[in-house]
Structure formats: structure tokens, C-alpha cells
Amino acid sequence: MTSPKYRGFSRLVSCLQSGLLTQHRKKGEQIKKGMASGQMSRDEALECTRCRHACHVLLYSETASQLFGRIPIRYIVLMQMRFDGLLGFPGGFVNPLEETLEEGLTRELLEELGVAVPVSKEDHVESCFSPPRSGTYSSSSRLILHFYVKKMEEEQIQEIEKAAASTAADHGLEVLGMVRVPLYTTKSGGGLSCFLSHSFIGVARFQLMNSLLRLHLVSPGDLQEALRSSQRTHAESAQNLQAAFKLTGEQP
Ligand code: AMP
Ligand code: MN
């Protein structure tokens, strides 16, 4: 059963996300009525032949392992450090004229993870327009993002991590390394809150938070707490960066 508290928080996350999407819609033309909410079905998305399409997936598994032998890790959730220094999900551009979205995603996963993880239509979660990066919008660069979630066995996740660091064609190039998302909070406040304070590509932070809530991997209360703490960490990082100018002999 979905608790009212969860629904409230989930709505908040969706609003934040659609806020970005509204910004995009104002500038875009001829976006179909069915797509007016920013979100669209997989089939509606494929009707847009002038759009580019990109598919990404959140892969996760249960785990019984414990950090320091006492903090339950509970779930392994995979993300990656991208070539641009941002955190994101594995996947990439797909050409629906040549392959299905899921075939294209599996092809991308083989390049980035070294394993052709099969992804099916049933794993599809949502499709939406990518929000423009400030100042760089052009209607010709319309990009639809398709997001998938797939549950696996812990051993399969471990195999992926090994292959990603050894046989994957993109290792050290487009992908700098796979990372696990810490879902716990340590006594000193580390864990999910610090992870969320990093920089993410596009809407990846929202995709992560929405998934954690939807799959009940983290409770809304714990996520709210982590976000609050994350904002404090973010403020400290800003001060830290300011102070770092001294290393270069420059004033900020
Ligand atoms: P990739 O080849 O994985 O970089 O993805 C293809 C395109 O999707 C690039 O333009 C990325 O900037 C963009 N992208 C990747 N992940 C996300 C995301 N989570 N949210 C928004 N845009 C993304
Ligand atoms: Mn990619």
C-alpha cells in the first residue's frame, strides 16, 4: 500500500521534474497534446520521428552484506561516473529506425558494461523530453529520454562490475567507472545524503530518487532527511571550492 506521506513526496519529486520539463515545453513547438504533461508513453514517444532518443537503465539487486559488519547495505543500485565527470545511468543514444529501443539499450550496455544485459518493454518506467541545458536549447536537438529499471541477482551485478572494469569497450573512455549508490546513512551523516550532493547528468538525480521511492528501497522520510543533509553538504562544498582558489594563486 502506498502511504499518503509517500504520495505527497512522490508528487513533490514529479513537480520538480515537470518544472524543468515545462521550461522545455514553452520553448518547443508542436508538442503533441498527449505529451503535454512532459511525460509520454513509450509508443507516443516513438511517433516523434524528428526526435532523438536515448535509453538508460537502473540495474539493482538485493544484498545481505553489511558495511563494517553492522550496517545493512540492503540493495546494490548501479550508477556510473561518466566521461564528463557527472553521475548517470548506463545507456545512450538509440536509433528507432534501425533497432527497437530495448535492442539499442542492450547494445549500449554491451559497450559500457561489457555485458549485453537483456532489457525488455516490461522494464520500461517512463519516457520524457530531456530538459534543455540553460541557454543551449534548440528545437532541432529535441531529445526524448527513456528510462528503464531492471532487478537482477547479486551475482549478476558483480559480474557486470567486473566486466565493466575489464572487457567493456567504453571503460576509461565514455565510462570512468561503475559506482554503487549508498542507501544507508552512517552515524556521521555520510551515505545517501553525500551521494545526492554530487553532480548528475540531466534528470538522473530525479530518476534515481523516483526509483528509490517507487521500488520502496528508501522510505520517503529517510529520503527527505538525506536531502536536507545533502543541502548542507552542498553548501560546505561551495565554501570548499571558494577556498580552493588559493591553491592556484588566484582570488575567487
Ligand atoms: P549518453 O550517450 O549516455 O551520454 O546519453 C545520450 C544523451 O542523453 C546525452 O546527450 C546525455 O547528455 C543525455 N543523458 C544521459 N543521461 C541522462 C539523464 N539521466 N537525464 C538527462 N539526459 C541524459
Ligand atoms: Mn552512455
Side-chain angles (χ1 to χ4, degrees):
M1 266 273 282
T2 315
S3 73
K5 204 172 169 193
Y6 166 73
R7 280 198 299 274
F9 191 74
S10 173
R11 254 201 310 274
L12 172 72
V13 173
S14 303
C15 284
L16 289 168
Q17 197 170 1
S18 63
L20 292 167
L21 296 162
T22 308
Q23 200 186 342
H24 176 104
R25 282 204 306 277
K26 276 183 197 151
K27 294 171 185 168
E29 334 102 18
Q30 298 172 350
I31 292 178
K32 295 180 75 178
K33 242 188 176 178
M35 301 176 186
S37 66
Q39 301 276 332
M40 63 194 99
S41 73
R42 185 184 168 285
D43 289 343
E44 276 175 330
L46 286 171
E47 282 173 29
C48 183
T49 47
R50 285 174 49 225
C51 292
R52 290 182 309 155
H53 296 263
C55 298
H56 294 89
V57 65
L58 179 155
L59 301 173
Y60 78 107
S61 76
E62 293 177 10
T63 179
S65 52
Q66 297 192 331
L67 175 65
F68 309 136
R70 60 182 162 79
I71 301 175
I73 291 177
R74 295 173 43 244
Y75 295 95
I76 302 173
V77 175
L78 285 188
M79 290 193 77
Q80 65 186 19
M81 178 56 72
R82 298 161 42 94
F83 65 94
D84 49 16
L86 299 171
L87 289 166
F89 291 101
F93 287 114
V94 167
N95 183 355
L97 298 176
E98 291 175 359
E99 54 195 349
T100 66
L101 292 176
E102 293 75 24
E103 282 166 357
L105 176 53
T106 297
R107 175 184 50 70
E108 282 288 335
L109 295 180
L110 177 61
E111 289 169 17
E112 295 190 353
L113 307 177
V115 179
V117 180
V119 182
S120 71
K121 266 187 184 184
E122 285 69 48
D123 302 317
H124 176 264
V125 174
E126 59 185 0
S127 299
C128 66
F129 280 106
S130 170
R133 265 182 261 153
S134 52
T136 60
Y137 178 86
S138 97
S139 56
S140 62
S141 71
R142 236 186 255 179
L143 173 63
I144 296 180
L145 298 166
H146 305 271
F147 188 63
Y148 295 75
V149 169
K150 186 176 168 80
K151 189 172 185 186
M152 307 186 83
E153 296 300 323
E154 183 172 6
E155 294 72 27
Q156 293 175 305
I157 295 279
Q158 287 166 343
E159 250 171 59
I160 287 172
E161 289 175 317
K162 278 189 202 135
S166 51
T167 56
D170 284 346
H171 179 62
L173 301 168
E174 283 185 41
V175 183
L176 303 183
M178 300 306 295
V179 294
R180 295 183 179 195
V181 180
L183 301 185
Y184 48 78
T185 302
T186 64
K187 273 187 195 147
S188 57
L192 182 59
S193 65
C194 286
F195 189 88
L196 290 174
S197 73
H198 293 312
S199 298
F200 291 73
I201 177 78
V203 294
R205 192 192 275 110
F206 290 113
Q207 289 167 333
L208 172 64
M209 294 195 304
N210 267 332
S211 303
L212 296 182
L213 291 172
R214 212 176 54 82
L215 301 166
H216 302 286
L217 305 192
V218 172
S219 74
D222 285 352
L223 185 53
Q224 273 164 358
E225 195 49 50
L227 280 171
R228 244 175 245 125
S229 171
S230 190
Q231 284 178 315
R232 286 194 292 271
T233 308
H234 203 77
E236 282 165 19
S237 297
Q239 283 179 355
N240 226 288
L241 287 171
Q242 189 87 348
F245 271 100
K246 285 196 186 129
L247 294 174
T248 67
E250 280 290 315
Q251 288 304 311

